[in-house]
Amino acid sequence: MTTNTKHEPVFLKACRGEPTPYTPVWLMRQAGRYMAEYRELRSRVGFLELCKSPELATQVTVEAADKIGADAAIIFSDILLVLEPMGMNLEYSKGDGPVLHNPVRESSDVDRLQSVDVKEQLPFVLEALRQTRKALPESRPLIGFSGAPFTLAAYMIEGGSSRNFEKVKTFMYRDAGAWAALMQKLSRAVTDLLTAQIEAGAQVVQLFDSWVGCLSPSDYREYVLPHVKRVFEGLPQGVPTIHFGVGTGTMLEEIREAGGDVIGIDHHQDLDVAWGRIPGAAVQGNLDPVALLAGRDVALIRAGKVLERAGGKQGYIFNLGHGVLPPTDVETVKAVIDFVHEQTVT
Ligand code: CP3
């Protein structure tokens, strides 16, 4: 890289493994139902409508990062939006979460899936990124994101959220050819989506593989890793990438091998032990989101323990091990972010 990184924002420096004046922080799901402003907006506007309005998505993204004092903003959107132009009938129902009304069950369903023209079919995501980048201060980088192929396939096949992932794993075990075809279609769409997001102003991109922890390391290696690797290899050079999954404690080495400059660590792992297994990577994580429900004092003590395990090393970004939960108190979030900054300032 020939970029002059001297005046780069702290979060970008940490993504590149460079020294930082303090530990940068952002939180997965930092914009969402735990914020009164978001709930008020959602009482008037549907979730999909909100995702498809660049003005409102910009407002939610910028205000949330500003309110909590995060070192980065993540674009307000959802991992499932890319499934609509592929031909999936997506609905966010109250109470049940996301529902795909025409799930993929047969190899003929895979054949029917369309390729995605991101600029034509998801213009609102790109416009939201452009507007958000303009509205943010330079010190606060903008993160773009996508679901990873396995997690998207899980939604497509299960038809929604799932406990045991029976349908997706049955499909994967039973028909390796149809599975590979599905993962190829998804990895193409994800690569195109992230590339377009980078062109529209995303300075870092994160891949969310939220459900991948239901696989064994050897199944991950066989059925998932090559497809994720193709995504990372297909992205423009020089833009930092974050690879996050939940339940990845058995397969961190494989996750690293699949790609990503920064590896997201979930809260089922001890940060120092996890980091020791993937030397050379930058890491992000991993306060238990539930710690934020236990009151300010408990949250600060537990955030302090995460910082101890991070050990003041370069290439560290403080985050939760998964997303902010709806009952979280915004004041606790702010206190934790201030605490991380104060404790780590050099
Ligand atoms: O602040 C941010 O992090 C940016 C926005 C964002 C959302 N979803 C907004 C959202 C991001 C990065 C996501 C990613 C996402 N979406 C993931 C991966 C991260 C993770 O949590 O594992 C997944 C699995 C989804 C799919 C999804 N979208 C689910 C399961 C749900 C319903 C459950 C829930 O949390 O309500 C959604 C809806 C959703 N996406 C909401 C938000 C703020 C809540 C919708 C509402 O307002 O009712």
Side-chain angles (χ1 to χ4, degrees):
M1 278 280 304
T2 51
T3 328
N4 177 0
T5 58
K6 207 166 133 211
H7 302 291
E8 248 192 358
V10 175
F11 171 67
L12 292 182
K13 283 185 196 280
C15 289
R16 299 189 199 282
E18 294 168 8
T20 56
Y22 55 87
T23 294
V25 190
W26 71 279
L27 304 182
M28 292 183 277
R29 293 282 177 101
Q30 68 189 20
R33 283 165 299 176
Y34 77 108
M35 280 195 175
E37 296 83 348
Y38 178 82
R39 290 195 300 272
E40 197 281 317
L41 181 61
R42 279 281 285 107
S43 69
R44 295 181 281 119
V45 184
F47 179 66
L48 267 178
E49 194 186 338
L50 172 48
C51 290
K52 291 179 181 180
S53 159
E55 289 73 25
L56 292 177
T58 298
Q59 181 193 322
V60 169
T61 307
V62 172
E63 283 181 5
D66 195 41
K67 177 152 191 167
I68 62 173
D71 295 286
I74 182 161
I75 193 66
F76 191 85
S77 186
D78 196 71
I79 63 164
L80 302 179
L81 298 180
V82 73
L83 301 184
E84 273 192 324
M86 294 184 84
M88 302 300 293
N89 181 352
L90 169 66
E91 187 195 356
Y92 291 89
S93 69
K94 252 203 155 67
D96 293 338
V99 181
L100 283 312
H101 290 289
N102 53 345
V104 168
R105 293 285 154 79
E106 309 289 337
S107 88
S108 57
D109 297 329
V110 176
D111 297 339
R112 270 196 292 276
L113 294 171
Q114 311 279 311
S115 62
V116 181
D117 183 333
V118 177
K119 286 184 185 149
E120 283 290 321
Q121 296 174 297
L122 298 165
F124 45 87
V125 176
L126 306 180
E127 186 53 26
L129 282 156
R130 283 185 214 104
Q131 291 188 20
T132 303
R133 185 50 272 165
K134 268 193 219 137
L136 287 169
E138 256 177 58
S139 58
R140 187 169 282 151
L142 178 57
I143 304 170
F145 69 89
S146 171
F150 178 81
T151 292
L152 294 176
Y155 274 104
M156 289 173 120
I157 295 171
E158 298 288 338
S161 300
S162 173
R163 183 177 289 266
N164 294 319
F165 302 97
E166 292 158 40
K167 296 188 179 76
V168 59
K169 287 167 71 175
T170 303
F171 187 105
M172 187 178 96
Y173 293 147
R174 199 169 52 194
D175 191 342
W179 176 258
L182 175 59
M183 291 298 269
Q184 266 153 25
K185 286 190 176 191
L186 283 168
S187 53
R188 176 81 266 150
V190 168
T191 308
D192 289 352
L193 175 61
L194 291 177
T195 301
Q197 289 189 22
I198 290 166
E199 286 166 11
Q203 293 151 287
V204 171
V205 288
Q206 173 157 328
L207 201 61
F208 285 93
D209 218 345
S210 307
W211 300 140
V212 79
C214 71
L215 299 179
S216 69
S218 56
D219 282 343
Y220 181 84
R221 182 172 285 285
E222 180 174 351
Y223 295 103
V224 179
L225 192 153
H227 304 285
V228 177
K229 201 167 183 189
R230 208 162 346 98
V231 171
F232 281 113
E233 285 174 356
L235 297 179
Q237 296 296 297
V239 174
T241 54
I242 307 174
H243 189 180
F244 168 76
V246 183
T248 55
T250 58
M251 54 175 93
L252 268 190
E253 294 80 2
E254 285 80 7
I255 296 280
R256 171 91 206 276
E257 192 179 323
D261 302 304
V262 183
I263 304 299
I265 307 294
D266 70 46
H267 51 286
H268 308 124
Q269 309 177 59
D270 289 333
L271 190 75
D272 50 342
V273 178
W275 203 346
R277 286 167 54 193
I278 48 170
V283 304
Q284 171 175 286
N286 75 339
L287 181 67
D288 189 336
V290 175
L292 297 177
L293 306 182
R296 183 182 174 280
D297 294 351
V298 172
L300 295 191
I301 290 167
R302 299 194 69 96
K305 290 185 175 171
V306 172
L307 290 177
E308 262 172 45
R309 291 189 187 270
K313 291 210 291 283
Q314 285 173 213
Y316 174 60
I317 298 148
F318 187 95
N319 203 315
L320 304 181
H322 201 173
V324 180
L325 296 165
T328 303
D329 183 346
V330 182
E331 293 308 316
T332 307
V333 169
K334 285 202 244 176
V336 165
I337 293 180
D338 288 346
F339 174 80
V340 172
H341 288 157
E342 284 157 17
Q343 291 294 304
T344 57
V345 70
T346 51

